[in-house]
Amino acid sequence: MSAPENTRILLGITGGIAAYKSAELVRRLVADGCEVEVAMTEAACSFITPVTLQALSGRPVWTDLWDDRARGAMAHIELVRGRSLMLVAPATADFIARLATGQADDLLSTAALARDCPLAVAPAMNRQMWEHPATRRNVERLRGDGVEIWGPDEGDQACGETGMGRMLEPERLAEFVARALRPRLLNGLRVLVTAGPTFERIDAVRGITNQSSGKMGYAVARAAWEAGAEVTLVSGPTALVPPPVARVVQVESAQQMASAVNAFVPDIDIFVSVAAVADYHVLNPSEQKIKKDAHILTLELAPNTDILAAVAALADPPYCVGFAAESENLDEFAEAKRRRKRLPLLAANLVQEAFGVDDNALVLFDDEGRHPLPRASKLEQARQLIAHIARRYQPA
Ligand code: PMT
């Protein structure tokens, strides 16, 4: 993610089996450029040793309220000052209960009370403990106190049962951390993003598609989510895990994508059309697999609706952002496309540099001119695009 400079995170670990995943979380956060200080409860040390966390964070781990590193100050105060975020992962039912009632009888619970930074917890417990009215009550109380609750997830549990209560995977938690550290540039706005290719059926097993991987569109959806938007992602077929946005709608053909977009358009503020939508579909696709024979096979193709142009032409359109993939004359073709589709903003990229790869170089075109974004990861490009949208967007 590449964290903002001087990001200092306090990671609290409490005593649950998911504590082993905290090691990977520390590794990821450090790789992302965060300084991570780890504090563990006594029970957590029964699941994973402080030495492991020390090796991964590169800093001695705090386990004791009376730690003499505090040098005259108090450990719980020393720990929380100057932090960007305090995250407790895993957070057991017991820790959540103690937090909800404001108890302060060990290093972590005391630090949580003494902090002046945001606090997030990643619950991890047996499904029945999670569903117990006492836990529900405690979680709601924490929410009311402004504590962010990240997860839990549903799935197989260490106890052999299946249900809600798994700690979010470290990769997902790292995404939540990235979001917590970024400005809420689109707070409360509803953003619709299309991503990936479409697949136009020829017969039961064959179809026409393109080389879009979905990476750019998924990055835009994630960047909008990080910026505080309520994001709907309409995706063609990809191999990617979607970001934790409000809703994800999987579609196959351009026609299905158009229907999904049209269903959401009345309730959105911003539409970002990143998908590489097929311009044509096959007339009369075969229900069965077409048999090979000696004759030339001719496919009849009919044009698809231009989803973006249709949305932009509405009487009261959302703020529409198009993408243009060009193989030559990028500026000229992209600006012509922007004007033809009547878009306030268009992001252009070169076909040969953008499809399938992890980084990209976008040039943004709007009424004020041309704004090149230097080559970077698709997530960084998406964040810059979202910042540009936030500067230009004007509520109707
Ligand atoms: O998915 P990746 O591998 O990460 O690659 C990213 C990308 C190259 C696909 C992406 O950056 C990109 O350029 N997307 C737009 C590709 C495209 O189809 O461009 P276009 O010039 O054909 O279409 C222009 C705009 O109209 C696009 O916003 C497109 O979503 C939209 N469109 C096009 C045709 C159609 N029938 N309906 C549409 O909405």
Side-chain angles (χ1 to χ4, degrees):
M1 73 162 170
S2 77
E5 241 176 273
N6 296 326
T7 298
R8 300 179 71 229
I9 291 177
L10 171 62
L11 176 67
I13 305 179
T14 66
I17 182 62
Y20 80 93
K21 293 188 193 171
S22 308
E24 172 61 12
L25 176 60
V26 171
R27 195 193 64 75
R28 275 180 181 275
L29 294 176
V30 170
D32 286 342
C34 304
E35 179 193 302
V36 183
E37 196 90 43
V38 178
M40 300 171 71
T41 61
E42 201 183 331
C45 299
S46 302
F47 287 93
I48 184 169
T49 70
V51 178
T52 306
L53 282 315
Q54 175 171 329
L56 291 166
S57 67
R59 318 175 74 80
V61 170
W62 300 74
T63 53
D64 186 359
L65 193 51
W66 312 110
D67 194 310
D68 54 18
R69 263 177 298 162
R71 292 180 307 275
M74 282 168 268
H76 61 288
I77 306 290
E78 178 88 1
L79 255 186
V80 285
R81 289 294 167 261
R83 299 284 158 203
S84 322
L85 172 74
M86 176 175 178
L87 166 63
V88 182
T92 59
D94 174 67
F95 185 76
I96 287 173
R98 290 195 294 124
L99 209 53
T101 50
Q103 290 184 43
D105 53 3
D106 68 359
L107 180 59
L108 259 192
S109 53
T110 320
L113 276 194
R115 83 201 141 80
D116 51 8
C117 64
L119 170 64
V121 297
M125 65 195 73
N126 166 270
R127 66 180 175 87
Q128 262 178 325
M129 292 171 80
W130 174 250
E131 280 155 19
H132 194 283
T135 308
R136 311 255 41 83
R137 224 171 26 239
N138 292 332
V139 166
E140 280 322 304
R141 185 176 279 193
L142 288 189
R143 279 208 178 95
D145 288 348
V147 177
E148 287 209 36
I149 313 291
W150 295 348
D153 217 346
E154 195 169 5
D156 293 341
Q157 303 203 302
C159 53
E161 298 184 2
T162 304
M164 285 296 275
R166 281 171 64 91
M167 187 173 88
L168 290 183
E169 293 303 319
E171 187 180 358
R172 198 36 46 113
L173 284 175
E175 289 177 352
F176 275 93
V177 169
R179 180 178 190 243
L181 300 172
R182 305 202 76 79
R184 297 292 165 101
L185 298 173
L186 299 182
N187 209 19
L189 293 176
R190 297 156 304 173
V191 176
L192 176 63
V193 180
T194 63
T198 60
F199 183 87
E200 310 300 326
R201 287 206 169 265
I202 296 173
D203 68 9
V205 291
R206 303 179 182 98
I208 299 172
T209 186
N210 61 64
Q211 289 183 312
S212 167
S213 62
K215 287 176 186 171
M216 191 70 235
Y218 279 48
V220 170
R222 182 173 156 187
W225 169 77
E226 283 179 354
E230 183 194 313
V231 178
T232 301
L233 171 63
V234 176
S235 173
T238 77
L240 304 176
V241 178
V245 297
R247 61 195 73 77
V248 179
V249 183
Q250 302 283 355
V251 298
E252 187 179 91
S253 64
Q255 207 168 352
Q256 288 170 0
M257 188 171 275
S259 305
V261 166
N262 291 337
F264 289 107
V265 154
D267 299 316
I268 58 165
D269 303 297
I270 297 168
F271 176 37
V272 191
S273 181
V274 195
V277 188
D279 289 324
Y280 294 89
H281 65 275
V282 179
L283 266 185
N284 308 316
S286 168
E287 299 254 310
Q288 307 302 326
K289 184 179 172 203
I290 298 172
K291 291 288 180 202
K292 178 174 72 176
D293 64 23
H295 296 98
I296 290 174
L297 177 68
T298 304
L299 292 176
E300 269 195 300
L301 302 178
N304 284 329
T305 314
D306 190 311
I307 304 168
L308 173 62
V311 173
L314 290 171
D316 183 19
Y319 184 83
C320 286
V321 183
F323 266 66
E326 306 294 346
S327 54
E328 56 179 345
N329 300 336
L330 186 72
D331 286 24
E332 185 191 331
F333 290 171
E335 181 59 5
K337 199 169 274 181
R338 184 177 84 87
R339 290 185 182 281
R340 196 170 58 248
K341 298 198 186 194
R342 294 200 277 157
L343 306 173
L345 178 62
L346 181 134
N349 45 203
L350 282 168
V351 165
Q352 49 278 33
E353 293 183 2
F355 274 86
V357 292
D358 289 337
D359 53 6
N360 203 359
L362 293 175
V363 184
L364 310 185
F365 293 89
D366 60 19
D367 286 346
E368 291 175 35
R370 178 182 189 276
H371 316 273
L373 306 181
R375 178 165 283 279
S377 72
K378 284 184 174 168
L379 182 56
E380 284 309 324
Q381 294 267 310
R383 285 174 176 156
Q384 291 191 49
L385 172 64
I386 291 297
H388 195 90
I389 292 172
R391 284 192 292 272
R392 295 286 187 269
Y393 172 75
Q394 310 232 314

